[in-house]
Amino acid sequence: MSDPLRKESAGIIGEKMGQHYIPYGRQLIGADDIAAVVEVLQSAWLTTGPKVTDFEKAVAESVGVRHGIAVTSGTAALHAAMSAIGIGPGDEVIVPALTFVATANCVVYEGGTPVFADVHADTLLIDPDQVRKKITPRTKAIIAVDYAGQPCDYDCLSEIAAAHKLFLVADGCHALGAEYRGRKVGSLADLTVFSFHPVKHITTGEGGMIVTDKSDLAERLCRFRNHGISSDHRQRENQGTWFYEMVDLGFNYRLSDIQCALGISQLKKLPEWLARRRGLARLYDAALADVREVAPLTHNGDNQHAYHLYVVRLAEQTDREQVFREMRRKNIGVNVHYLPVHLHAYYRNRYKTAPGLCPVAEKTYERILSLPMHAGLCDEDVRRVVSALGEAVAGAGR
Ligand SMILES: *Cc1c(COP(=O)(O)O)cnc(C)c1O
């Protein structure tokens, strides 16, 4: 099928450079996805209908767990997870310093305190030794983030969680389809959260899901996304009753059938897209082996990486800002993931966090760059990115 976005960006953004814009991430929508959405638009259920349940079952099954609870975003999924495990004022939750802000924000939503742990310099995954150091009598949970799509050291994190009676929550927003020692991300923590934002592996426009094997948590999550009400509209319809009871305070975080139909259709293509992302990573690895100033993050051999991002570290004497600007000038959508959360103005103001708290994350952050990585890239795109990067770093020595 033709690719309208690509044509459009080639025409508008790429014109002056003569080469189309390559974004760091983007969705792939096919005729099958469009047909699936149209079918729902013509059906009786636009929301809280059968497609929601089907999508939940399909995602849960794909990662090998019993329950999936669809919500409106990955952020809503994190929020629901914090509520389900009972985070409240006075509770501390350990999160990695280098992640998207939502990983820490969800703790704040429920009145808890995020405590930042440093990461490994070579993988940017949370460092279990740093987690141990941050545990206090108030610690209630750890949120592990599978940065870039590589699973954390779950055996070690589970051991720490068990020893201190903590919940282990996985922010798997980068890692749908990843595996750790033969086990799927989604089956490695008490609760695992996924996002279906367009830059993630599969999309529903906006959307998210929590997966778990624990029935009591699943029940709480279902209530939380529906105002804290103990039954949903379809269940009442089926039972021929109007009565419902609100038992907790919840939100309207329901994902629609329109979105879930798109998700079901997208999920069918996940294996193929994961294989493509892994193939692109191998191309990058091979091509970058010759570029002295650029080092990809380490990929641990005991896992299957999902490559949401392809992140490289630039040499210390290379000026990242100059490389960033030069790549953007060449219509290549490089990006930086992420400014460490504790350095954001909000956290500095509210929690008095400051540079020095997580030195590895802070230092490595200044050298990282995310190269384009999505299933719609062709081999020629990778060659263009690598050649532009080679030129950019050559001109950005300090
Ligand atoms: C994308 C992402 C989220 C938030 O997901 P949304 O669907 O955008 O709300 C949370 N954590 C991480 C690590 C993410 O990459």
Side-chain angles (χ1 to χ4, degrees):
M1 182 172 159
S2 77
D3 186 338
L5 184 76
R6 187 155 181 148
K7 262 193 234 147
E8 191 177 290
S9 54
I12 296 166
I13 311 169
E15 214 156 29
K16 62 177 187 292
M17 289 300 299
Q19 280 180 304
H20 69 270
Y21 179 65
I22 306 178
Y24 89 88
R26 61 154 299 197
Q27 73 281 11
L28 276 179
I29 300 290
D32 48 346
D33 298 313
I34 293 167
V37 170
V38 169
E39 189 191 312
V40 170
L41 288 171
Q42 292 164 331
S43 79
W45 294 95
L46 294 189
T47 191
T48 323
K51 293 297 178 192
V52 179
T53 326
D54 290 352
F55 184 42
E56 290 173 337
K57 280 194 183 136
V59 173
E61 198 173 289
S62 82
V63 300
V65 298
R66 291 217 296 275
H67 308 284
I69 298 90
V71 291
T72 49
S73 68
T75 305
L78 284 164
H79 185 190
M82 291 302 102
S83 168
I85 63 171
I87 298 304
D91 294 334
E92 294 176 356
V93 178
I94 298 174
V95 303
L98 204 88
T99 181
F100 183 54
V101 289
T103 313
N105 291 352
C106 67
V107 180
V108 182
Y109 295 157
E110 288 296 287
T113 304
V115 173
F116 298 99
D118 214 340
V119 296
H120 284 297
D122 51 350
T123 59
L124 300 182
L125 297 174
I126 195 165
D127 179 346
D129 288 335
Q130 297 300 319
V131 171
R132 279 194 200 91
K133 285 186 187 155
K134 300 279 174 147
I135 292 173
T136 76
R138 291 166 181 266
T139 308
K140 202 145 177 201
I142 303 165
I143 307 182
V145 176
D146 302 318
Y147 181 85
Q150 169 156 243
C152 297
D153 187 349
Y154 279 99
D155 281 347
C156 194
L157 292 171
S158 301
E159 207 177 288
I160 297 171
H164 296 270
K165 297 197 162 45
L166 310 175
F167 283 103
L168 180 59
V169 175
D171 179 341
C173 289
H174 292 187
L176 183 62
E179 289 176 34
Y180 170 82
R181 298 184 178 164
R183 288 171 289 152
K184 285 264 168 72
V185 164
S187 67
L188 301 159
D190 295 304
L191 295 169
T192 301
V193 164
F194 295 118
S195 162
F196 309 122
H197 182 277
V199 297
K200 304 292 164 66
H201 291 83
I202 64 167
T203 191
T204 58
E206 297 278 1
M209 198 178 291
I210 313 99
V211 296
T212 182
D213 258 331
K214 305 219 152 88
S215 303
D216 54 333
L217 293 178
E219 202 174 303
R220 264 183 258 168
L221 291 162
C222 277
R223 279 207 304 267
F224 186 78
R225 69 147 173 221
N226 189 30
H227 310 279
I229 292 171
S230 56
S231 61
D232 70 31
H233 179 76
R234 187 151 160 259
Q235 288 165 338
R236 289 193 294 279
E237 197 93 325
N238 288 339
Q239 290 160 6
T241 177
W242 59 268
F243 180 80
Y244 60 82
E245 196 171 27
M246 183 191 135
V247 290
D248 297 314
L249 184 63
F251 288 76
N252 177 356
Y253 278 164
R254 297 186 306 259
L255 195 62
S256 70
D257 280 59
I258 304 167
Q259 291 166 292
C260 288
L262 179 55
I264 294 165
S265 177
Q266 291 258 302
L267 187 64
K268 291 179 187 147
K269 295 175 273 195
L270 179 64
E272 179 197 323
W273 288 346
L274 279 168
R276 181 62 188 146
R277 284 172 181 268
R278 287 168 184 151
L280 290 166
R282 283 195 297 273
L283 278 181
Y284 271 130
D285 287 345
L288 289 169
D290 299 333
V291 187
R292 199 168 33 87
E293 300 89 343
V294 177
L297 293 182
T298 302
H299 174 196
N300 295 327
D302 61 356
N303 67 51
Q304 289 282 338
H305 203 307
Y307 287 107
H308 162 56
L309 301 174
Y310 188 89
V311 177
V312 297
R313 283 163 297 171
L314 303 181
E316 236 159 296
Q317 66 275 16
T318 302
D319 182 343
R320 188 197 46 198
E321 280 319 295
Q322 196 179 325
V323 173
F324 180 91
R325 282 196 307 271
E326 185 56 17
M327 294 296 278
R328 284 290 180 94
R329 199 184 64 80
K330 289 183 170 164
N331 257 331
I332 295 170
V334 290
N335 226 318
V336 175
H337 298 96
Y338 303 90
L339 174 69
V341 180
H342 65 284
L343 298 183
H344 279 283
Y346 174 82
Y347 283 95
R348 287 194 196 213
N349 290 333
R350 175 154 177 189
Y351 295 97
K352 305 298 168 213
T353 54
L357 184 64
C358 296
V360 177
E362 291 161 22
K363 197 158 183 286
T364 315
Y365 147 70
E366 292 183 349
R367 295 167 50 201
I368 52 176
L369 199 63
S370 302
L371 306 183
M373 170 55 83
H374 55 89
L377 289 182
C378 59
D379 293 8
E380 182 48 38
D381 292 331
V382 171
R383 283 192 284 274
R384 199 180 122 202
V385 172
V386 171
S387 118
L389 186 61
E391 285 167 22
V393 294
R398 285 193 275 225

